Amino acid sequence: MTVRRSNILTEIPLSGPYEVNAAQPANGSTALSSDPVTRPHVLLSVAVSLDGHIDDRGTERFPLSNDEDFDHVDRMRAESDAILAGAETLRRDNARLLVYSDERRARRIADGKPEFPLRVTVTRSGQLDPDLRFWHCGGERLVYSKTAETTVGHLAETKTFSDFSEILDDLGARGVRKLMVEGGTSIHTAFLEAGLADEIRVAVAPMLIGQATAPRFVNPAEFPGGPARRFHLEDVTKVGDVAVLRYFPKVTS
């Protein structure tokens, strides 16, 4: 099996705690309560070049971020209840979606949370390589599939879904209040097209890819409000040589 070097750690945490529509249990756990189901706060995180690409056309993941940014992404993962990436991202990057800091994992346990956030992937075909690293490390895994039959049913819980709002409803019922979405292009497009993203974090790297067919943040789609709608820009942060922009797409500028 040929896989690309993972560089999915491309985001930093929010400069302050982000708001959700329901409080977490006092002990920090994600156990279900008697309250009505609340969908998680959905944070899309992406790193792009100055010309809007998330990768080049090479066989290895192109490094858009820096060490300081990677560490901040690790912190943001530790603050999440679940991390989601599409099946194509798992295939391409052999991504694990872990919290790497021992201290942050220990803090999660001390707060009554699992050592690792729930790791989630979405697949249309159900065809996933069981040898990928995602299946062999780091706590609970959950697969949302368009088909009931998958190649990894023995490695993770699998649920069928029809649309992404259904995924959020199910995650909310599991007690997930903060969902970090790390791509790829089709996954980010689906969340934005359906109006399901509460926040977008864009790390802009000081480089140009310059390849017409290199992948971008999103695919062409009919986004709510179209090109006339301007998102609210919450803040801009300098992280080394990377500029980090926080947008709230449900708030019109």
Side-chain angles (χ1 to χ4, degrees), residues 169-239:
D169 286 338
D170 185 66
L171 289 174
R174 295 168 184 267
V176 172
R177 296 293 174 260
K178 299 177 183 178
L179 173 65
M180 181 177 175
V181 180
E182 298 199 31
T185 299
S186 63
I187 298 296
H188 282 146
T189 302
F191 274 101
L192 288 168
E193 187 176 21
L196 297 173
D198 297 290
E199 189 166 345
I200 309 171
R201 181 194 176 277
V202 184
V204 183
M207 60 186 67
L208 300 169
I209 300 296
Q211 300 169 350
T213 58
R216 295 183 176 273
F217 172 31
V218 293
N219 291 318
E222 294 290 332
F223 298 111
R229 185 162 182 270
R230 301 172 72 91
F231 298 162
H232 169 71
L233 174 63
E234 178 66 13
D235 61 43
V236 181
T237 305
K238 183 176 182 290
V239 182

Side-chain angles (χ1 to χ4, degrees), residues 19 29 39 51 78 86 123 154 159 171 176 178 180 250 252:
E19 302 274 333
S29 71
R39 287 179 177 176
D51 54 344
T123 174
H154 59 299
K159 290 207 66 173
L171 289 174
V176 172
K178 299 177 183 178
M180 181 177 175
K250 292 183 179 179
T252 301

Side-chain angles (χ1 to χ4, degrees), residues 20-33:
V20 295
N21 294 326
Q24 291 195 81
N27 64 359
S29 71
T30 57
L32 297 181
S33 72

Side-chain angles (χ1 to χ4, degrees), residues 9 16 19 22 27 70-71 84 114 124 131 136 151 162 168 184 203 217 253:
L9 278 176
E19 302 274 333
N27 64 359
F70 288 152
D71 182 65
L84 184 150
R124 292 183 179 86
D131 290 332
H136 304 288
T151 56
S162 57
L168 294 187
F217 172 31
S253 174

